[in-house]
Amino acid sequence: MERTVVSIAPASFILQGAAVNYQLLIADDHPLYRDALATTLTPHFPNAELLQSEDLDSTLQRLAQSEIDLLLLDLNMPGSEGFSGLARIRNDFPAVPVVVVSGSDRHAVIQQAAGLGASGFLSKTARPDEILQCIECVLAGDQWFSEEALQAESESALAEKLSQLTPQQLKIFQMIAQGMLNKQIAYDLDITEPTVKSHVTAILRKLELRDRKQLIREAQALIQI
């Protein structure tokens, strides 16, 4: 699928990456893809520090420890089921530009990524020149999405509403999506069960859902990308 830059960048946009000492983080649980992406980036960003992470926890740790200029985020890493990981990262590190990298380029996936505050979207089948153009565009402060996908009829508003949740509520949302009970969630997070119930009530209100059954159904639909 051809992609269009949704951006204020000029039509004569020139790649500038070689001159800047960027810190770029590649977050993906497949080492071969991480290495392939690093191989694509290294010649164009010879002065950049290319960091890697393999799951949500290590990604959050990298973001906390380094001044990352751009994050390339796989949606399906361990701990990052669907868009809940992106929502957590945007909540905890709102200043870090995120380019979502996914094996699926369905319109709904691109729309949800944009709605949650990603700055760009790349399919894992993207050409090397497209990858470089996307990264340059986002580093320049612009956005990179398929215009066709953004103009298509929206399939879900839940992903955008997730940005209203606190980090703790996002964790609980992920656990509910995995089918965990309040008692299990309380034990894992070292909080009381009434506290979990309070968070669930707040989550239902913010996501405009009726009950836990509907929450589970919507959460599981969201992570199936």
Side-chain angles (χ1 to χ4, degrees), residues 117-128:
S119 297
F121 181 94
L122 283 171
S123 167
K124 287 197 172 182
T125 61
R127 304 182 308 272

Side-chain angles (χ1 to χ4, degrees), residues 106-108 110-111 146-156:
R106 292 188 296 110
H107 290 173
I110 298 172
Q111 290 169 358
S146 162
E147 186 173 13
E148 177 187 359
L150 295 185
Q151 291 178 348
E153 183 178 354
S154 177
E155 297 182 29
S156 173

Side-chain angles (χ1 to χ4, degrees), residues 63 68-71 89-90 93-98 117 119:
L63 290 169
I68 301 300
D69 294 294
L70 184 144
L71 168 64
I89 290 168
R90 294 300 302 146
F93 303 94
V96 177
V98 179
S119 297

